[in-house]
Amino acid sequence: MKLIAYIICYLIYPFSFLFPRSKRKFAFGSFRGAFNDNARYLFIYASQINDDNIRKIWLSINRSCVKRVRGYGLEAFWVFEPRGLWHALTSKYWFFNSYTSDIMFCLSGGAECINLWHGVGLKRIEFNTISGPLADRYSRKNKMDVFCHPESFRRPDWLLTSTPFQTSMFAKAFRIPESKCLEMGYPRNHILTVTEQERAQFISKYEPEQTASLIDKTRNYSKVLVYMPTWRDSQRNIFTQSMDLNKLNAILAAKNQLLILKPHANVRLSENMHSLSNIILADSKMDIYPVLPYTHVLITDYSSILYDWLLMEGKDVILYLYDYEEYVKERDFYYPFDENVTGCRVESFEELCKVIDSGQYRLDPKERDRMIELFWGKTANYDSSKMILDFIKDKAR
């Protein structure tokens, strides 16, 4: 069935070039039909502007996502319904987080594609990939893998980055000139740095009850830690095999601290943690960004969440690198890892427990400043959504 679907996609794609596309219509979408990441924040910002005569539409393969977005008073369509297909085929500008498949690859012919991406590029991605499973697609060019992922080979017309340091890597990864990279920062980071009043208003209007409930719980603890590891294929169903949660829970309970476990969106959760008093498992699909300002310590590894996190003042970092040697064999880094991260480094669960118990993980302010300058530069203070929209609207005139 999948093979038939891909064949149909290839047959439809040439016809998508025949539709007249309106410069006054912007389409937005995200990975697997979700409502998240940079595209979500840009879409919400754009939808709040009522005087630009531009129609902003969220398109999703997920009916429940469409229902949710409409519940916020925003325009959204299921991409397989007639109106969804029509808007996909007639929108001149497409904004997405990963690939045109965030909306529908076979309908993208003739659209001007703005890839907002979702990370800073420390790890090798796309056509910079030289090892691991993804090398079959990008460097070894396995015929079946290439056939099943045409969206990976459609170059974006514009790609969002932040600094020249990032741009040089991203341009090579996506096979585009550096002049096609927009150094404007990420819309999703705005929620991390706005005033508490602005954040509360956003949460009240655009976040589900589970987000507000989780934030309320954080207020009952002296300190809140959040564990956000990067994606590993070995953790498709479970991502805490490197932890003794009962032992960790006891340490946290003695200090009246809370740990939020936030797995990658690709993880299919199978853990049962109802018996743990001081550890909460967040839904892998939830948008954690509105919650992060209410936490104090980030536990991560090779994830680019580190760099977004550093934009918030007064926060600390623990780098939990229990599988470093194994990980680098599957996912090489584009830049030297040790030179481009900051935080208290631990390499075993025992070390992690010791550090959490002692509280000896303060982040060096100078290292934080160095990382921000390297990965964000001037864009750390940009209103990213406004800059992106102004740029595209100028083109649409």
Side-chain angles (χ1 to χ4, degrees), residues 362-381:
R362 295 296 298 173
L363 184 65
D364 183 345
K366 291 183 179 179
E367 276 297 292
R368 172 182 178 262
D369 292 343
R370 185 175 73 87
M371 290 292 104
I372 290 176
E373 178 61 27
L374 192 60
F375 286 94
W376 299 115
K378 296 179 181 178
T379 67
N381 300 311

Side-chain angles (χ1 to χ4, degrees), residues 125-128 138 152 168-176 334:
I125 61 170
E126 311 303 294
F127 289 88
N128 286 333
Y138 295 108
S152 298
S168 63
M169 184 284 299
F170 274 120
K172 294 182 178 69
F174 287 89
R175 303 178 300 163
I176 59 175
Y334 193 80

Side-chain angles (χ1 to χ4, degrees), residues 15-162:
F15 291 97
S16 67
F17 285 90
L18 302 178
F19 285 78
R21 293 185 177 270
S22 171
K23 291 184 176 181
R24 314 306 296 175
K25 189 185 289 188
F26 292 2
F28 299 77
S30 186
F31 183 62
R32 291 183 178 173
F35 186 51
N36 60 10
D37 223 288
N38 286 318
R40 175 191 187 228
Y41 287 93
L42 181 62
F43 172 67
I44 290 174
Y45 176 89
S47 298
Q48 293 172 336
I49 301 172
N50 299 315
D51 59 353
D52 57 11
N53 196 32
I54 293 175
R55 194 171 180 182
K56 302 96 176 182
I57 302 164
W58 188 270
L59 297 174
S60 175
I61 61 172
N62 189 317
R63 285 184 181 272
S64 62
C65 174
V66 171
K67 182 178 179 180
R68 175 188 169 193
V69 176
R70 287 178 177 175
Y72 299 139
L74 305 176
E75 190 169 19
F77 296 95
W78 187 46
V79 76
F80 295 112
E81 65 177 299
R83 288 180 300 174
L85 290 169
W86 176 252
H87 290 311
L89 288 166
T90 57
S91 296
K92 177 63 176 178
Y93 299 103
W94 279 28
F95 301 84
F96 47 85
N97 290 324
S98 299
Y99 311 98
T100 52
S101 55
D102 287 2
I103 298 177
M104 185 67 66
F105 165 77
C106 63
L107 307 178
S108 66
E112 190 158 332
C113 298
I114 301 94
N115 190 336
L116 305 174
W117 202 236
H118 51 272
V120 300
L122 182 62
K123 293 172 287 191
R124 288 185 177 272
I125 61 170
E126 311 303 294
F127 289 88
N128 286 333
T129 305
I130 57 176
S131 62
L134 288 177
D136 282 342
R137 185 179 312 167
Y138 295 108
S139 58
R140 292 190 285 269
K141 290 186 171 55
N142 176 280
K143 290 183 179 179
M144 182 54 68
D145 206 59
V146 170
F147 177 81
C148 292
H149 293 280
E151 73 281 356
S152 298
F153 294 83
R154 192 191 195 287
R155 291 177 172 87
D157 294 287
W158 303 96
L159 179 73
L160 194 58
T161 66
S162 292

